[in-house]
Amino acid sequence: MIRGLKNNKGFSLIELVMALAIIAILAMTTAPTLIRYIGRARKAIDNQTAYCVFVAANLASASSREDISESWDACTEKKNAGTNGAVYYASPDGYPCGASTKGAYQIIPVAWARGIRYKYQQWDWDNALFKVAYDDLKYKDGTPKQQAFVDEFLLNIPQGRAVGGNQKNRLYSGFSEDYYFLKYKKDSGRGKPELWILYRRSDNATPEVWIGKKPSGKVIQPIYRVYPNPCEEYGPGAE
């Protein structure tokens, strides 16, 4: 018999309980910090995505082509604020607000895309491409008035592609293999983030990139401004 094995009886129940208690205490103290770091990292990725969308929109809006300029202006034909026209008021700190809020300005949607995997009835796709916000604003030939701008915008931005049962019908305006998924999808009390929305400010005609939602049977709705001047949830030092 090998010496030392005779008295090796393993851990006692008390020692095992103590070890588990220490592990539990360490988990409770480190888990919140780890979760915050993960959240910050995901928000940083979303900030970078929003920046890419913003740059692409700026390049398109600065085009000297008249048809693109007219297409960029077309969204202003929608005057209704709220759910009727998907036109909302935004506060200076980057949230949807009422018209009477100090410093409020209107944001008019130009294009939007799914940022999460989405399934509806028999259709299942990862991320529809950025598409025009107003399908009902059309020229006499049936072309959406926002299409020229969105096409130019898509030349400057990697696009996700639709996948699944209704794939062909979801390829709105372009095609590539890159996805623009939302990384931070926590509902902070304003709704579940699920969309990227490109808006045009009504006061100075500049683009803004927001994260939004689309409740079933309703129009797209903003939740957070991500670029430029992100709201508190996505700004410097955000948890």
Side-chain angles (χ1 to χ4, degrees), residues 16-140:
L16 184 60
V17 170
M18 290 293 292
L20 292 175
I22 292 172
I23 293 173
I25 292 171
L26 289 174
M28 285 189 296
T29 55
T30 59
T33 301
L34 180 61
I35 291 172
R36 283 198 297 270
Y37 278 124
I38 293 173
R40 289 176 187 173
R42 289 174 175 171
K43 288 177 182 179
I45 295 173
D46 286 343
N47 279 329
Q48 184 60 36
T49 298
Y51 170 75
C52 292
V53 175
F54 175 79
V55 170
N58 256 332
L59 290 172
S61 64
S63 173
S64 59
R65 284 175 46 185
E66 186 175 349
D67 61 331
I68 295 175
S69 177
E70 289 179 355
S71 183
W72 175 240
D73 294 337
C75 59
T76 60
E77 295 180 31
K78 288 287 186 176
K79 302 297 184 181
N80 296 329
T83 57
N84 290 332
V87 179
Y88 284 81
Y89 284 93
S91 64
D93 56 352
Y95 300 99
C97 66
S100 60
T101 302
K102 184 177 180 180
Y105 57 92
Q106 282 188 318
I107 47 175
I108 309 170
V110 180
W112 65 278
R114 294 278 179 192
I116 62 173
R117 185 171 181 83
Y118 182 75
K119 186 173 183 178
Y120 177 70
Q121 296 180 358
Q122 73 270 34
W123 299 304
D124 186 5
W125 62 91
D126 279 338
N127 189 26
L129 301 185
F130 274 92
K131 67 179 292 288
V132 298
Y134 292 122
D135 294 320
D136 58 334
L137 286 178
K138 297 180 179 180
Y139 293 108
K140 291 182 179 180

Side-chain angles (χ1 to χ4, degrees), residues 65-231:
R65 284 175 46 185
E66 186 175 349
D67 61 331
I68 295 175
S69 177
E70 289 179 355
S71 183
W72 175 240
D73 294 337
C75 59
T76 60
E77 295 180 31
K78 288 287 186 176
K79 302 297 184 181
N80 296 329
T83 57
N84 290 332
V87 179
Y88 284 81
Y89 284 93
S91 64
D93 56 352
Y95 300 99
C97 66
S100 60
T101 302
K102 184 177 180 180
Y105 57 92
Q106 282 188 318
I107 47 175
I108 309 170
V110 180
W112 65 278
R114 294 278 179 192
I116 62 173
R117 185 171 181 83
Y118 182 75
K119 186 173 183 178
Y120 177 70
Q121 296 180 358
Q122 73 270 34
W123 299 304
D124 186 5
W125 62 91
D126 279 338
N127 189 26
L129 301 185
F130 274 92
K131 67 179 292 288
V132 298
Y134 292 122
D135 294 320
D136 58 334
L137 286 178
K138 297 180 179 180
Y139 293 108
K140 291 182 179 180
D141 64 359
T143 303
K145 290 186 177 182
Q146 293 177 317
Q147 193 64 58
F149 172 84
V150 173
D151 287 344
E152 182 73 10
F153 159 71
L154 289 174
L155 293 176
N156 305 308
I157 185 173
Q159 283 298 294
R161 67 181 177 89
V163 298
N166 201 28
Q167 179 174 345
K168 292 182 179 179
N169 292 335
R170 308 310 296 187
L171 298 179
Y172 292 109
S173 306
F175 182 90
S176 83
E177 297 293 336
D178 299 308
Y179 298 117
Y180 267 6
F181 287 122
L182 287 168
K183 297 299 182 180
Y184 191 77
K185 300 184 284 291
K186 181 179 179 182
D187 185 344
S188 298
R190 297 176 180 269
K192 182 180 179 181
E194 58 177 341
L195 310 173
W196 294 105
I197 308 176
L198 172 63
Y199 284 104
R200 168 181 162 142
R201 288 184 60 147
S202 63
D203 54 351
N204 57 21
T206 58
E208 289 190 347
V209 183
W210 287 62
I211 287 173
K213 60 184 177 180
K214 190 179 186 301
S216 179
K218 297 184 179 180
V219 298
I220 53 177
Q221 301 172 16
I223 302 177
Y224 306 114
R225 184 176 63 214
V226 186
Y227 204 90
N229 304 318
C231 65

